[in-house]
Amino acid sequence: MTLQTDKFAAYLRMLKDRSGQGYERLGKQAGASGSSLHRYCSGKSVPADYRVVHSFAKVCGASPAELRELHQLWALADAGRVDEAEQAGAATGGDVAPPRRRRAYAATAIGVVVLLAAGLVWLTSDASAPAAGRYADRMLFSAACRPPVSMGQHDECVTEVQNLLVAARGRLSVDGSFGPETLRRVTAFQVLAGLPARGVVDEATKTALYDQRTSMATWPAATVEQRIRAVFTETPDTAVAIARCASFLDPLWVLPNTNGSRNWGVFQISDARLLELGGSPRQAFDPVWNIDAAHRLWSAHHDFHDWPSCSAALGNPQPH
């Protein structure tokens, strides 16, 4: 059991114990077998589909804040599960990497990808040796930072990550604590660098941070507001208020949903909407594309029903 799996299982047990119900009864309500729930709560396995976790937590009476925290714990445990599977495959000469991971590697490799040493090692197109070798003397490749740097961590490894993100022109505080702000920036950096957006600083992300080839420079809030007003000519004030509510007018804002998906950019366009619009997270980080896409969504019904929480927070304002 990895540390992340242990934390995830402990959180599930807390919810289960608080509910006062048995595994079989909870399983019937959540649409899963009682034996499966027992495996998850004991840390023997991590579900590949977050929807099972979400359903279980809901029938246990989890609050929205608890659902958000549980999703983060599941994401970290799931990442650890995938890494273990890959390491087992490397050790036995097999190929057990899930299809989604294979697709991610194919999409993000700039030049040559591959080789092994108890897992996958990334090579860049201009490198003649494994990337870790180039930066073997850097902190993130030291023994202290050997595991992925991840949510909840508080140490010098996190400080190094934050300093490197700032060097890439990312906007965040350097406090040595891997909280939601750092999670957002790490995820955004991975998207911009063409890496799988896992939200943990793995070997490939460490290398990309040290390569210093990815810029997180983007528009300031004032420029974003000007663009929104230029595009939403029919209802500029409300559109700006919705965007400010959704992302604080930050083009690189990222938020997870309780169903495992994420929202991206100025207008926090969801994964599902990106698919409908033919876009990608990287495109969603482009404020021009994001604002134009949001206007397309608004134009369908001339309202902001795609942003129900922000509309409610604004008191359902009328276009003006």
Side-chain angles (χ1 to χ4, degrees), residues 3-134:
L3 176 60
Q4 302 301 342
T5 301
D6 189 30
K7 290 181 179 179
F8 171 66
Y11 207 89
L12 291 179
R13 291 196 299 272
M14 178 274 291
L15 293 174
K16 185 264 180 187
D17 293 343
R18 193 177 66 187
S19 74
Q21 301 184 63
Y23 288 112
E24 292 301 325
R25 184 173 180 182
L26 288 170
K28 289 179 180 178
Q29 298 177 67
S33 68
S35 59
S36 294
L37 294 182
H38 184 268
R39 287 199 307 274
Y40 304 151
C41 290
S42 63
K44 292 180 179 178
S45 64
V46 177
D49 190 341
Y50 176 72
R51 288 174 294 185
V52 176
V53 182
H54 181 72
S55 297
F56 171 78
K58 289 286 286 185
V59 299
C60 288
S63 68
E66 288 173 330
L67 289 172
R68 288 192 293 272
E69 184 172 357
L70 183 61
H71 174 258
Q72 293 171 350
L73 291 172
W74 169 82
L76 294 172
D78 182 57
R81 177 180 61 80
V82 171
D83 287 342
E84 287 177 350
E86 289 173 352
Q87 290 170 1
T92 61
D95 181 8
V96 296
R100 64 173 178 156
R101 179 59 72 84
R102 292 196 198 100
R103 289 196 297 270
Y105 290 144
T108 57
I110 296 176
V112 182
V113 194
V114 159
L115 249 150
L116 46 133
L120 294 178
V121 176
W122 287 74
L123 306 180
T124 55
S125 57
D126 64 342
S128 57
R134 296 212 318 272

Side-chain angles (χ1 to χ4, degrees), residues 133-151:
R134 296 212 318 272
Y135 302 117
D137 61 336
R138 306 294 182 92
M139 178 178 291
L140 292 181
F141 286 102
S142 67
C145 305
R146 188 160 293 154
V149 184
S150 57
M151 186 75 172

